[in-house]
Amino acid sequence: MKMNKRMLKVAVVSALTVAFAVPAFANPFTDVPVKHWSYDAVNKLAQAGIVDGYGDGTFKGDKTVTRYEMAQMVAKAMTKSLNADQKATVDQLSKEFATELNSMGVKVEGLQKQIDNQVKISGNARLRHLSQEGVDETNDFRARVSFDGKINDDMKFNARLTSGNMNIDGGTGASTASIDTANVTFNALGLTNTIGRQDVYLGEGNLFDTQMNAFASKIGGFKVVAGSKDAENKIYAAEYGTNLLGANVVADYYKNDSKDQTIFGASASMPLSSAVSANASYYSNNDADATAVSYGVKFNKVGLSATYKNVDQAAYTGFGTISNDGQKGELSTGFKGMEYQYDKAIAKNTALMVKYQDFQKKDGTDMGGRTTAVVNVKF
């Protein structure tokens, strides 16, 4: 005999409301249809005492029940001791509300595997301001969308679509959309290997901080890279990082066969206290008799760092972070001076970075202060 509407609502609320209720304004899901099969299933569990009502012992039968509240009840039922029939009912309910349960951190049999096998879409958007004394300021925007998927237990793929740096001042410099990474990562012989166009980061970004077509392999703190930035730059590199007496130490080797350029480098950072850390780096291009030295401090809790840099021409590669900074101007000819950077999370998945560079040419000529401000949003 069918239950009347009032009794059905009481049963549903009994089954789907846990010891605490989620406010309606926080609920992103639509109401469960009155004729949904889960109403009967939950009613059975409520009658068996497997699920109960609100914390005050009431059922609140006049309250509209949402999918999220139903999922909360199912999650609670999953912790109970069940007979075979009840377990079958709960298993069926867990599949129906798998998405909601997963958002609550509840593991559903088979669901995690399905999620792992799905293509994951993520991305970020960057708004950047660049200014330099004596040079017109620029503002640009870049958006990237990444697609990551699992091919099998030992292999996965990545592809990323980018808008490029689009000038938003109405001037030139707008870029068209393109795929800037497309690669496959696989495990073999205890190594993690990536082949294809990929992001490469070497020497704290001083040697390389952009994309290249390459084969990269790593194990622990050791990695090797071989490939080409473009037709005119064939590159081989190796890097090893480890913790030595409390300091994070990284050693680098970089060779550009196309330009007969070989660079050796080392960098280290270590905590001076819980709030302050010190860092230093040294790079040497023996072929050009050029060196790059930097040292500074970072106030970790504040997000502020101050670094002195003294860089000869050809000591860096031209593909690193500082070479990719906007308004780089004469930096390729060598420079020295202070760099200050401030990093702060200003909201969930939103970060602010402000950098000021007070550089001079090697002969002491002022190069004009450079300011970079970036807001980066992940999604």
Side-chain angles (χ1 to χ4, degrees):
M1 185 176 192
K2 291 186 177 180
M3 299 174 61
N4 61 40
K5 187 174 181 180
R6 176 71 177 180
M7 289 297 292
L8 178 59
K9 184 168 290 190
V10 170
V12 171
V13 176
S14 301
L16 299 179
T17 309
V18 287
F20 55 93
V22 175
F25 63 84
N27 191 338
F29 298 94
T30 58
D31 294 339
V32 179
V34 175
K35 296 182 179 180
H36 198 278
W37 67 266
S38 61
Y39 274 76
D40 290 335
V42 171
N43 183 48
K44 289 167 55 179
L45 297 176
Q47 291 179 333
I50 295 171
V51 294
D52 49 23
Y54 287 85
D56 61 3
T58 63
F59 286 157
K60 293 183 173 61
D62 57 345
K63 184 180 184 297
T64 301
V65 181
T66 64
R67 285 188 62 88
Y68 194 81
E69 290 174 316
M70 294 184 82
Q72 288 179 312
M73 296 305 97
V74 174
K76 188 171 183 180
M78 292 170 67
T79 67
K80 303 283 187 176
S81 297
L82 311 173
N83 60 37
D85 180 59
Q86 292 165 344
K87 186 177 186 307
T89 300
V90 171
D91 288 345
Q92 189 177 12
L93 287 168
S94 69
K95 293 177 182 178
E96 168 64 28
F97 298 100
T99 301
E100 291 80 7
L101 288 166
N102 183 64
S103 72
M104 294 159 54
V106 179
K107 299 294 184 182
V108 179
E109 185 177 355
L111 175 64
Q112 193 60 47
K113 185 175 182 180
Q114 294 177 29
I115 293 175
D116 290 342
N117 290 335
Q118 292 177 351
V119 175
K120 297 175 178 61
I121 302 176
S122 61
N124 67 75
R126 184 189 73 184
L127 182 63
R128 182 173 63 170
H129 167 82
L130 306 164
S131 62
Q132 180 181 351
E133 294 176 18
V135 179
D136 291 339
E137 66 179 40
T138 61
N139 298 281
D140 62 25
F141 172 81
R142 185 191 68 193
R144 287 173 167 176
V145 179
S146 295
F147 303 86
D148 296 276
K150 180 180 178 181
I151 299 174
N152 56 47
D153 289 342
D154 296 312
M155 187 176 294
K156 59 184 180 181
F157 72 87
N158 161 266
R160 186 174 67 202
L161 181 68
T162 180
S163 67
N165 298 328
M166 300 185 295
N167 191 300
I168 61 177
D169 296 317
T172 59
S175 298
T176 56
S178 63
I179 296 176
D180 67 346
T181 65
N183 56 74
V184 173
T185 298
F186 60 95
N187 299 320
L189 302 176
L191 303 171
T192 300
N193 311 285
T194 302
I195 185 168
R197 188 161 183 81
Q198 57 191 281
D199 290 321
V200 176
Y201 188 84
L202 297 167
E204 301 180 302
N206 291 315
L207 298 182
F208 211 96
D209 185 17
T210 183
Q211 298 80 47
M212 67 184 292
N213 301 314
F215 174 82
S217 184
K218 63 181 180 179
I219 180 171
F222 179 72
K223 67 180 178 182
V224 294
V225 179
S228 60
K229 167 60 181 170
D230 48 43
E232 300 178 353
N233 291 277
K234 296 181 179 178
I235 296 165
Y236 306 90
E239 182 173 273
Y240 178 68
T242 188
N243 186 284
L244 182 63
L245 301 176
N248 292 319
V249 180
V250 179
D252 286 276
Y253 167 81
Y254 173 96
K255 182 173 179 61
N256 187 326
D257 264 356
S258 304
K259 295 185 176 180
D260 195 26
Q261 181 185 55
T262 302
I263 298 176
F264 296 90
S267 61
S269 64
M270 65 179 299
L272 300 179
S273 69
S274 60
V276 182
S277 60
N279 59 81
S281 67
Y282 176 84
Y283 298 92
S284 175
N285 181 344
N286 295 332
D287 298 325
D289 191 25
T291 60
V293 177
S294 72
Y295 49 86
V297 295
K298 182 176 182 180
F299 301 91
N300 304 309
K301 295 182 179 180
V302 181
L304 180 66
S305 63
T307 306
Y308 175 78
K309 296 186 176 185
N310 191 335
V311 181
D312 294 335
Q313 182 178 358
Y316 285 157
T317 66
F319 300 122
T321 302
I322 201 160
S323 298
N324 291 325
D325 278 346
Q327 307 283 15
K328 62 183 179 181
E330 309 95 333
L331 292 184
S332 59
T333 63
F335 59 92
K336 60 182 178 179
M338 292 296 300
E339 178 180 278
Y340 306 93
Q341 184 167 323
Y342 175 68
D343 296 278
K344 181 175 178 59
I346 56 178
K348 183 177 181 181
N349 297 325
T350 305
L352 169 70
M353 185 278 286
V354 179
K355 182 193 299 183
Y356 179 75
Q357 297 166 328
D358 185 16
F359 292 153
Q360 299 176 337
K361 293 183 179 180
K362 298 294 286 187
D363 63 6
T365 303
D366 186 70
M367 300 175 71
R370 304 160 187 267
T371 301
T372 302
V374 175
V375 174
N376 194 79
V377 179
K378 295 182 179 180
F379 54 88

